[in-house]
Amino acid sequence: MKIKVLLFARLREIVGCEMVELYRNEMLTVRDVWDTLRAQFPQVEGFGKSLLFCVNQEFADLDTRIKEGDELAIFPPVSGGED
Amino acid sequence: MRSYQQMETGDVYEIVRDAIHLDLLAKQLTQPQDGATLIFAGVVRNNTQGRRTLYLEYEGYEPMALRKMREIGETLKQRWAVNQVGIVHRLGRLEIGETSVGIVVTSAHRRTAFEACHFAIDTVKKIVPIWKKEFFEDGEIWVEGDFSQSPIL
Protein backbone atom coordinates (compact mmCIF):
# COMPACT_ATOMS: atom_id res chain seq x y z
CA MET A 1 0.00 0.00 0.00
CA LYS A 2 1.22 3.49 -0.89
CA ILE A 3 0.31 6.70 0.93
CA LYS A 4 1.31 10.25 0.07
CA VAL A 5 2.03 12.49 3.02
CA LEU A 6 2.35 16.27 2.84
CA LEU A 7 4.71 17.93 5.31
CA PHE A 8 4.83 21.58 6.30
CA ALA A 9 6.92 24.18 8.10
CA ARG A 10 9.60 22.88 10.49
CA LEU A 11 8.65 19.26 9.85
CA ARG A 12 9.12 19.78 6.10
CA GLU A 13 12.57 21.23 6.71
CA ILE A 14 13.62 18.43 9.05
CA VAL A 15 12.57 15.72 6.60
CA GLY A 16 13.91 17.71 3.65
CA CYS A 17 10.93 17.57 1.30
CA GLU A 18 7.32 18.69 1.16
CA MET A 19 5.86 15.33 0.12
CA VAL A 20 6.88 11.76 0.86
CA GLU A 21 5.46 8.52 -0.47
CA LEU A 22 5.36 5.74 2.09
CA TYR A 23 5.03 2.06 1.32
CA ARG A 24 3.97 -0.69 3.71
CA ASN A 25 1.87 -3.84 3.32
CA GLU A 26 -0.98 -2.40 5.26
CA MET A 27 -1.65 0.99 6.77
CA LEU A 28 -4.99 1.14 8.55
CA THR A 29 -4.69 4.23 10.69
CA VAL A 30 -2.82 7.51 10.86
CA ARG A 31 -0.65 5.87 13.55
CA ASP A 32 0.59 3.28 11.01
CA VAL A 33 1.56 6.08 8.64
CA TRP A 34 3.33 8.00 11.40
CA ASP A 35 5.22 4.85 12.45
CA THR A 36 6.31 4.28 8.87
CA LEU A 37 7.47 7.87 8.54
CA ARG A 38 9.41 7.65 11.81
CA ALA A 39 11.12 4.46 10.69
CA GLN A 40 12.17 6.04 7.41
CA PHE A 41 13.08 9.47 8.79
CA PRO A 42 14.35 8.98 12.36
CA GLN A 43 15.03 12.72 12.61
CA VAL A 44 11.29 13.33 13.20
CA GLU A 45 11.47 11.36 16.46
CA GLY A 46 10.64 13.55 19.42
CA PHE A 47 8.43 15.77 17.30
CA GLY A 48 5.43 13.44 17.56
CA LYS A 49 3.71 14.82 20.62
CA SER A 50 3.43 18.28 19.15
CA LEU A 51 2.22 17.54 15.63
CA LEU A 52 -1.18 17.79 14.03
CA PHE A 53 -2.47 15.13 11.64
CA CYS A 54 -4.97 15.65 8.83
CA VAL A 55 -6.78 13.27 6.52
CA ASN A 56 -8.33 14.74 3.39
CA GLN A 57 -7.87 18.27 4.76
CA GLU A 58 -9.67 17.62 8.04
CA PHE A 59 -8.02 17.38 11.46
CA ALA A 60 -7.63 13.78 12.51
CA ASP A 61 -5.88 11.84 15.26
CA LEU A 62 -3.62 8.82 15.39
CA ASP A 63 -6.59 6.44 15.47
CA THR A 64 -8.30 7.89 12.39
CA ARG A 65 -8.70 5.19 9.75
CA ILE A 66 -7.24 5.71 6.31
CA LYS A 67 -7.50 4.10 2.90
CA GLU A 68 -5.45 4.15 -0.28
CA GLY A 69 -5.73 7.47 -2.07
CA ASP A 70 -6.35 9.55 1.06
CA GLU A 71 -4.45 12.83 1.36
CA LEU A 72 -2.49 12.90 4.58
CA ALA A 73 -0.78 15.95 6.00
CA ILE A 74 1.35 16.32 9.10
CA PHE A 75 2.48 19.64 10.55
CA PRO A 76 3.26 21.62 13.70
CA PRO A 77 0.52 23.68 15.39
CA VAL A 78 -0.29 26.79 13.38
CA SER A 79 1.37 30.06 14.21
CA GLY A 80 -0.82 31.23 17.06
CA GLY A 81 0.34 34.59 18.29
CA GLU A 82 -0.63 36.47 21.41
CA ASP A 83 -4.11 37.92 21.78
CA MET B 1 -6.55 47.10 -9.40
CA ARG B 2 -8.21 43.72 -9.28
CA SER B 3 -11.30 42.99 -7.20
CA TYR B 4 -11.76 40.14 -4.77
CA GLN B 5 -13.65 37.08 -5.91
CA GLN B 6 -16.98 36.87 -4.07
CA MET B 7 -18.68 33.53 -3.52
CA GLU B 8 -22.39 33.02 -4.18
CA THR B 9 -23.04 34.17 -0.63
CA GLY B 10 -21.08 37.34 -1.31
CA ASP B 11 -18.28 36.37 1.08
CA VAL B 12 -14.59 36.41 0.17
CA TYR B 13 -11.95 33.80 1.07
CA GLU B 14 -8.61 34.14 -0.65
CA ILE B 15 -4.96 33.28 -0.32
CA VAL B 16 -2.73 35.76 -2.11
CA ARG B 17 0.96 36.36 -2.70
CA ASP B 18 0.85 40.11 -3.11
CA ALA B 19 -0.42 43.07 -1.09
CA ILE B 20 -3.82 42.81 0.62
CA HIS B 21 -6.06 45.80 -0.14
CA LEU B 22 -8.42 46.05 2.79
CA ASP B 23 -9.98 49.30 1.65
CA LEU B 24 -11.02 47.61 -1.57
CA LEU B 25 -12.27 44.48 0.22
CA ALA B 26 -14.28 46.55 2.69
CA LYS B 27 -15.85 48.59 -0.09
CA GLN B 28 -16.76 45.46 -2.02
CA LEU B 29 -18.40 43.79 0.99
CA THR B 30 -20.30 46.72 2.46
CA GLN B 31 -23.98 46.88 1.51
CA PRO B 32 -26.76 49.41 2.16
CA GLN B 33 -28.13 47.45 5.17
CA ASP B 34 -24.78 47.57 6.99
CA GLY B 35 -24.20 49.98 9.85
CA ALA B 36 -20.70 48.72 10.64
CA THR B 37 -17.79 47.48 8.58
CA LEU B 38 -15.11 46.07 10.85
CA ILE B 39 -11.66 45.83 9.30
CA PHE B 40 -8.85 43.90 10.97
CA ALA B 41 -5.30 43.85 9.63
CA GLY B 42 -2.65 41.55 11.05
CA VAL B 43 0.67 43.22 10.24
CA VAL B 44 4.32 42.21 10.42
CA ARG B 45 5.86 43.59 13.63
CA ASN B 46 9.50 44.71 13.76
CA ASN B 47 10.44 42.70 16.84
CA THR B 48 9.68 39.67 18.98
CA GLN B 49 10.34 40.29 22.64
CA GLY B 50 12.87 42.96 21.76
CA ARG B 51 14.72 40.91 19.14
CA ARG B 52 14.76 42.80 15.86
CA THR B 53 12.85 41.10 13.07
CA LEU B 54 14.04 41.61 9.49
CA TYR B 55 11.14 39.97 7.63
CA LEU B 56 8.76 37.00 7.76
CA GLU B 57 7.97 34.14 5.45
CA TYR B 58 4.55 32.53 5.44
CA GLU B 59 3.88 29.01 4.22
CA GLY B 60 0.47 27.39 3.89
CA TYR B 61 -1.35 24.17 3.12
CA GLU B 62 -3.45 26.11 0.65
CA PRO B 63 -6.52 23.97 -0.09
CA MET B 64 -7.04 23.16 3.59
CA ALA B 65 -6.36 26.76 4.62
CA LEU B 66 -9.06 27.99 2.23
CA ARG B 67 -11.45 25.33 3.48
CA LYS B 68 -10.85 26.37 7.10
CA MET B 69 -11.24 30.06 6.26
CA ARG B 70 -14.63 29.27 4.70
CA GLU B 71 -15.60 27.24 7.76
CA ILE B 72 -14.78 30.20 10.01
CA GLY B 73 -16.89 32.50 7.85
CA GLU B 74 -19.81 30.07 7.98
CA THR B 75 -19.50 29.82 11.77
CA LEU B 76 -19.53 33.61 12.00
CA LYS B 77 -22.75 33.81 10.01
CA GLN B 78 -24.38 31.11 12.16
CA ARG B 79 -23.43 32.64 15.51
CA TRP B 80 -23.77 36.36 14.82
CA ALA B 81 -26.02 38.57 12.71
CA VAL B 82 -23.24 39.42 10.29
CA ASN B 83 -24.01 40.21 6.68
CA GLN B 84 -20.72 39.62 4.86
CA VAL B 85 -17.35 38.13 5.72
CA GLY B 86 -14.01 38.51 3.98
CA ILE B 87 -10.85 36.67 5.03
CA VAL B 88 -7.68 37.09 2.97
CA HIS B 89 -4.29 35.66 3.95
CA ARG B 90 -0.99 36.38 2.26
CA LEU B 91 1.85 33.88 1.81
CA GLY B 92 5.50 34.29 0.90
CA ARG B 93 7.97 36.90 2.09
CA LEU B 94 6.52 39.89 3.94
CA GLU B 95 8.32 43.01 5.08
CA ILE B 96 7.80 44.91 8.33
CA GLY B 97 4.48 46.78 8.33
CA GLU B 98 2.88 44.72 5.58
CA THR B 99 -0.49 43.05 6.10
CA SER B 100 -0.32 39.26 6.42
CA VAL B 101 -3.99 38.65 7.13
CA GLY B 102 -7.04 40.83 6.57
CA ILE B 103 -10.55 40.28 7.87
CA VAL B 104 -13.65 42.28 7.07
CA VAL B 105 -16.98 41.72 8.82
CA THR B 106 -20.08 43.74 8.03
CA SER B 107 -23.18 43.98 10.16
CA ALA B 108 -26.12 46.22 10.92
CA HIS B 109 -24.56 47.09 14.29
CA ARG B 110 -21.00 47.55 15.52
CA ARG B 111 -21.01 45.28 18.59
CA THR B 112 -21.87 42.26 16.46
CA ALA B 113 -19.13 43.10 13.98
CA PHE B 114 -16.50 43.56 16.73
CA GLU B 115 -17.35 40.28 18.45
CA ALA B 116 -17.51 38.27 15.24
CA CYS B 117 -14.26 39.72 13.91
CA HIS B 118 -12.48 39.02 17.22
CA PHE B 119 -13.61 35.39 17.07
CA ALA B 120 -12.56 35.19 13.42
CA ILE B 121 -8.95 36.29 13.93
CA ASP B 122 -8.50 34.14 17.06
CA THR B 123 -9.81 31.12 15.17
CA VAL B 124 -7.72 31.82 12.06
CA LYS B 125 -4.65 31.69 14.32
CA LYS B 126 -5.76 28.34 15.70
CA ILE B 127 -7.12 26.25 12.84
CA VAL B 128 -5.96 27.66 9.50
CA PRO B 129 -2.81 25.74 8.44
CA ILE B 130 -0.47 28.64 7.76
CA TRP B 131 2.92 28.99 9.47
CA LYS B 132 5.35 31.83 9.73
CA LYS B 133 9.10 31.81 9.91
CA GLU B 134 10.70 34.80 11.49
CA PHE B 135 14.07 36.01 10.21
CA PHE B 136 16.36 37.92 12.58
CA GLU B 137 19.81 39.41 12.00
CA ASP B 138 21.36 36.39 13.68
CA GLY B 139 19.06 33.50 12.85
CA GLU B 140 15.57 32.31 12.03
CA ILE B 141 12.80 30.47 13.83
CA TRP B 142 9.48 28.89 12.99
CA VAL B 143 6.76 30.44 15.11
CA GLU B 144 4.61 27.57 16.31
CA GLY B 145 1.29 27.67 18.08
CA ASP B 146 0.26 26.07 21.29
CA PHE B 147 -0.48 22.39 20.74
CA SER B 148 -2.81 22.24 23.76
CA GLN B 149 -5.32 24.46 21.96
CA SER B 150 -7.63 22.15 20.10
CA PRO B 151 -7.84 22.87 16.38
CA ILE B 152 -11.50 21.84 16.34
CA LEU B 153 -14.07 24.66 16.21
Side-chain angles (χ1 to χ4, degrees):
Chain A
M1 180 175 174
K2 181 177 84 176
I3 286 278
K4 275 188 190 173
V5 184
L6 305 173
L7 308 170
F8 293 94
R10 198 155 62 90
L11 185 65
R12 170 182 58 73
E13 285 187 351
I14 284 172
V15 172
C17 51
E18 55 194 35
M19 197 269 288
V20 292
E21 282 188 339
L22 301 174
Y23 300 86
R24 189 167 128 173
N25 280 348
E26 210 173 39
M27 288 185 274
L28 297 175
T29 62
V30 171
R31 180 177 282 104
D32 295 337
V33 176
W34 172 239
D35 288 343
T36 310
L37 186 80
R38 275 164 52 199
Q40 210 168 320
F41 302 95
Q43 65 268 42
V44 306
E45 205 65 56
F47 219 131
K49 284 205 174 78
S50 56
L51 288 172
L52 298 173
F53 299 88
C54 294
V55 177
N56 299 329
Q57 302 172 14
E58 279 302 334
F59 289 107
D61 57 45
L62 288 169
D63 296 320
T64 302
R65 296 186 73 82
I66 54 154
K67 57 182 187 312
E68 185 124 38
D70 280 346
E71 178 177 306
L72 261 79
I74 311 179
F75 46 73
V78 302
S79 43
E82 287 170 45
D83 294 350
Chain B
M1 197 185 297
R2 72 188 190 94
S3 61
Y4 289 93
Q5 174 96 39
Q6 288 179 269
M7 304 182 58
E8 263 176 43
T9 54
D11 305 306
V12 170
Y13 307 103
E14 278 194 35
I15 287 177
V16 299
R17 294 186 173 273
D18 50 10
I20 296 174
H21 300 285
L22 279 170
D23 46 350
L24 183 68
L25 182 61
K27 199 171 171 187
Q28 237 184 288
L29 292 181
T30 304
Q31 298 172 305
Q33 67 267 33
D34 293 317
T37 296
L38 213 292
I39 304 173
F40 172 83
V43 299
V44 178
R45 189 178 44 236
N46 71 358
N47 80 93
T48 294
Q49 290 165 354
R51 195 175 176 195
R52 194 160 83 88
T53 304
L54 300 178
Y55 62 93
L56 295 185
E57 272 180 17
Y58 285 82
E59 167 179 333
Y61 178 12
E62 291 195 43
M64 181 171 171
L66 273 173
R67 181 193 284 237
K68 291 292 156 192
M69 284 155 60
R70 274 199 302 273
E71 252 179 58
I72 292 168
E74 283 159 14
T75 303
L76 245 52
K77 292 179 108 170
Q78 280 163 14
R79 292 193 192 174
W80 287 277
V82 303
N83 292 329
Q84 305 271 260
V85 178
I87 305 177
V88 180
H89 210 301
R90 183 172 169 187
L91 300 181
R93 175 174 165 151
L94 272 81
E95 309 298 330
I96 307 302
E98 288 191 300
T99 300
S100 56
V101 57
I103 300 179
V104 171
V105 176
T106 73
S107 174
H109 302 287
R110 64 182 178 275
R111 181 180 294 275
T112 303
F114 270 111
E115 285 177 5
C117 190
H118 191 182
F119 173 87
I121 183 58
D122 283 358
T123 312
V124 164
K125 293 285 194 170
K126 242 184 273 180
I127 71 165
V128 175
I130 289 175
W131 302 268
K132 65 180 175 192
K133 194 176 195 181
E134 200 164 353
F135 289 80
F136 303 99
E137 281 166 319
D138 55 348
E140 56 194 56
I141 67 166
W142 282 102
V143 182
E144 286 172 13
D146 179 3
F147 182 73
S148 64
Q149 291 191 309
S150 166
I152 310 300
L153 267 184

